[in-house]
Amino acid sequence: MTAPRVSRRYSLTTQAFWLLAAQTAGYFFSMVFPLVVVRLFSQAEYGTYKQAYLAIGHGQTILGMGFSLSAFYFFPREPERNGAVAFNILIFCLAGGLVALIALTLWPGILVELFSNEQLRGCAPQIGGVILFRLFSGFLEYVATARQDVKFSTVFIVCAQFTKSAVMLTAVWWSAKLAALLYGSMIQGLLQALVLIWYLQRVFPGFWKRVDWELFRRQLSYGIPLGGAVVVFMVRAESHNYFVAHYVDAAAFAVYAVGCASIPLVELVRSSVATVLMPHVSRLHHAGEHREILLVTLRSIRKLSTFYWPLYFFLLVMSQEFITFLYTRRYAGSVRIFVINLTLLPLTMLVLDPVLRAFAEYRFFLIRLQLILLAGMVAALLIVLPAYGTMGAITVVVIGAVIEMGVTASKVVEALQISWQDLKLASGIFKLGLSAALAGGAAAVVRVFVKGYHPAIALAVCGAVFAPVYLLGAYFEPDTREDLQRLVARGKQALRVSRAAS
């Protein structure tokens, strides 16, 4: 079974750009929804909603085991068997989804025990149904990217987020109840599953006719250790939510969840770069070009830092206004948690996981690391939460992330044989951080004069000061200056083409 060759190849930057553009457009569709829900629901209802979708997201991750990501490894290595690779992924995801549906239908008390919230018992079967549809259909957002099919990956991501937002907003408009949202999620998952099957039949005709068990075993051998690491990472990174949910009521959990909420665009930017980087690094490793892996990874981190550094310092200064603008003044108590949680932002730009994923020999190291960190975090939370409450919980999370990144970085240094001289290649990253810190200082001075105004006004005024100061500093970093000049040149070229066409 031969996969049709994608007719056009794109550079790594171009692929990342289109993937990011698609995910950004999709994000703005999806960002509207929680901001509507937080205004329609009471704090207790919002806390229950966050717990339900926490269970959905984590159930999807645990039962999916990151198996869909095996496509990034096997597609370039098994070009004649891509259809079989995809079918094996569908079988695995379907089985995992059915486990969730059956378990939560027969034993709905699982969620009550996890969150100490009796309101979740009645909607446990629907939560299992959402996990089933999302797990099965989620491969749609990976398959085209793994094939480097930029056009379809862009369309799929935008349409998936748009339909998800449209269906969910319709559901919450129809009935401002959690059950309506869950049924809406199932409908959207079914639509996405149908599109996935259509695309797979289009690019891999007859892919579903035979299971390649030998290939399935190899995918399991590669994917399960890495997937186990992903699951343990998720459990470690998110265990604080379950401890806090068990320790406080739903309303207090809502305040904590807002403080730990994802910062707009952060995960989208990182995942866009990491998703494109994975198959690229895998090919470089297969060709033995380890030096090029180092260079492309550092370039990716530097490009991420142009966005992450300014976002970190700006939000550090404007955290009060940011939270109250997005979530209303009812959630002002989330600000202290949010400030501590912001410490994770600079760590997020270090996209090191694609490197270790390319080195199959490190797959067991990843899971061992996550198991050790998980044990440490559980022990710390059991001690810290009763004594220091939610502030202690988020502090434990940040310390664990710092330790994890330090150990992972040391293993990447070993894998790529990085020397002290190579660290000079990362100087631009630190220069951008300094520029963002200076811009943050300027914004902090201006904030004194606009404090007390509507949060939107304060954010706009301080942003108008922050942006030029940061851009001026970033312009003195040579690689960033070249990026800006190329961006301006492309903009001018697009403008000339547009004028010529008109």
Side-chain angles (χ1 to χ4, degrees):
M1 188 184 301
T2 304
R5 188 178 298 274
V6 178
S7 60
R8 184 179 177 186
R9 294 295 179 190
Y10 295 82
S11 70
L12 186 65
T13 300
T14 301
Q15 292 177 59
F17 169 79
W18 283 110
L19 187 59
L20 175 59
Q23 291 186 334
T24 301
Y27 176 81
F28 281 112
F29 291 135
S30 63
M31 187 179 71
V32 174
F33 179 70
L35 301 183
V36 171
V37 173
V38 80
R39 286 161 171 79
L40 291 176
F41 286 10
S42 68
Q43 280 190 331
E45 289 171 330
Y46 188 71
T48 301
Y49 154 77
K50 292 293 290 185
Q51 289 169 356
Y53 277 86
L54 196 68
I56 290 168
H58 295 164
Q60 186 178 344
T61 301
I62 292 171
L63 295 169
M65 291 289 289
F67 197 68
S68 294
L69 296 176
S70 67
F72 291 96
Y73 184 86
F74 284 94
F75 273 13
R77 288 170 168 79
E78 302 281 353
E80 304 299 319
R81 302 163 82 181
N82 280 186
V85 171
F87 189 39
N88 291 342
I89 290 171
L90 288 189
I91 293 172
F92 187 93
C93 291
L94 179 61
L98 288 173
V99 168
L101 178 60
I102 294 169
L104 291 179
T105 300
L106 296 179
W107 300 288
I110 294 173
L111 297 179
V112 179
E113 291 298 320
L114 275 176
F115 296 105
S116 294
N117 188 345
E118 189 64 34
Q119 298 300 315
L120 292 171
R121 184 184 299 275
C123 57
Q126 292 95 326
I127 290 173
V130 175
I131 294 172
L132 168 62
F133 283 111
R134 284 196 173 185
L135 190 55
F136 182 82
S137 66
F139 186 45
L140 180 65
E141 297 185 30
Y142 292 116
V143 60
T145 305
R147 295 185 64 246
Q148 295 185 291
D149 191 345
V150 176
K151 180 180 70 173
F152 273 100
S153 65
T154 302
V155 171
F156 288 157
I157 291 168
V158 172
C159 290
Q161 293 298 332
F162 174 75
T163 56
K164 186 183 300 182
S165 301
V167 171
M168 297 288 280
L169 285 170
T170 301
V172 78
W173 172 79
W174 183 267
S175 174
K177 300 293 182 183
L178 177 59
L181 302 183
L182 294 173
Y183 282 118
S185 292
M186 282 190 275
I187 292 171
Q188 193 277 335
L190 175 61
L191 294 174
Q192 188 166 311
L194 293 174
V195 174
L196 171 61
I197 293 170
W198 166 82
Y199 178 75
L200 290 177
Q201 178 62 25
R202 178 183 181 277
V203 296
F204 308 126
F207 74 97
W208 45 271
K209 292 182 178 178
R210 187 177 68 88
V211 180
D212 190 329
W213 293 110
E214 183 273 332
L215 181 60
F216 204 163
R217 285 192 294 272
R218 287 171 52 209
Q219 283 181 260
L220 289 171
S221 176
Y222 170 81
I224 293 300
L226 290 172
V230 169
V231 169
V232 178
F233 166 79
M234 184 277 297
V235 173
R236 180 191 64 75
E238 300 293 340
S239 60
H240 64 106
N241 284 303
Y242 294 91
F243 276 90
V244 171
H246 202 82
Y247 185 74
V248 303
D249 60 22
F253 179 76
V255 173
Y256 182 76
V258 166
C260 298
S262 299
I263 300 166
L265 298 180
V266 165
E267 188 54 37
L268 287 183
V269 174
R270 187 188 191 280
S271 64
S272 298
V273 173
T275 301
V276 172
L277 203 58
M278 271 192 282
H280 187 67
V281 170
S282 182
R283 284 193 300 274
L284 290 173
H285 174 260
H286 190 58
E289 299 181 22
H290 291 183
R291 180 69 178 178
E292 186 59 29
I293 293 176
L294 171 62
L295 295 177
V296 76
T297 301
L298 286 176
R299 283 197 298 270
S300 298
I301 294 173
R302 183 188 59 78
K303 290 181 179 181
L304 283 175
S305 71
T306 62
F307 171 70
Y308 278 44
W309 279 130
L311 189 62
Y312 170 69
F313 284 104
F314 182 73
L315 290 180
L316 196 62
V317 172
M318 304 301 297
S319 55
Q320 180 80 33
E321 291 78 6
F322 179 76
I323 290 293
T324 55
F325 173 67
L326 286 183
Y327 297 97
T328 75
R329 296 187 186 277
R330 289 188 300 159
Y331 291 91
S334 303
V335 172
R336 292 190 304 159
I337 296 168
F338 179 73
V339 168
I340 297 175
N341 191 48
L342 269 178
T343 310
L344 299 174
L345 192 52
L347 299 177
T348 309
M349 67 187 179
L350 301 177
V351 280
L352 303 181
D353 43 308
V355 177
L356 292 186
R357 277 185 168 274
F359 288 78
E361 59 269 29
Y362 289 125
R363 61 191 186 277
F364 294 108
F365 160 77
L366 290 173
I367 195 168
R368 285 196 301 268
L369 172 62
Q370 294 302 330
L371 285 170
I372 293 169
L373 290 172
L374 173 61
M377 175 164 283
V378 169
L381 287 170
L382 288 172
I383 296 169
V384 169
L385 246 177
Y388 300 101
T390 55
M391 292 292 290
I394 193 61
T395 302
V396 169
V397 172
V398 170
I399 292 172
V402 171
I403 294 172
E404 179 202 6
M405 189 55 67
V407 175
T408 303
S410 69
K411 188 59 67 171
V412 169
V413 168
E414 174 189 309
L416 299 181
Q417 299 181 339
I418 300 173
S419 65
W420 284 105
Q421 288 74 18
D422 292 325
L423 294 180
K424 295 177 182 177
L425 299 171
S427 61
I429 299 168
F430 299 107
K431 291 176 182 177
L432 290 168
L434 178 59
S435 299
L438 292 174
V445 172
V446 174
R447 181 177 180 266
V448 174
F449 299 97
V450 295
K451 195 171 183 179
Y453 284 79
H454 190 279
I457 295 174
L459 287 167
V461 171
C462 293
V465 172
F466 183 96
V469 174
Y470 170 68
L471 289 173
L472 180 63
Y475 191 76
F476 287 99
E477 200 283 306
D479 290 330
T480 304
R481 181 169 61 248
E482 290 179 10
D483 288 342
L484 290 172
Q485 289 171 342
R486 281 195 295 268
L487 186 62
V488 171
R490 288 176 182 174
K492 290 180 177 178
Q493 182 180 3
L495 185 61
R496 285 195 297 268
V497 171
S498 177
R499 286 175 176 173
S502 61

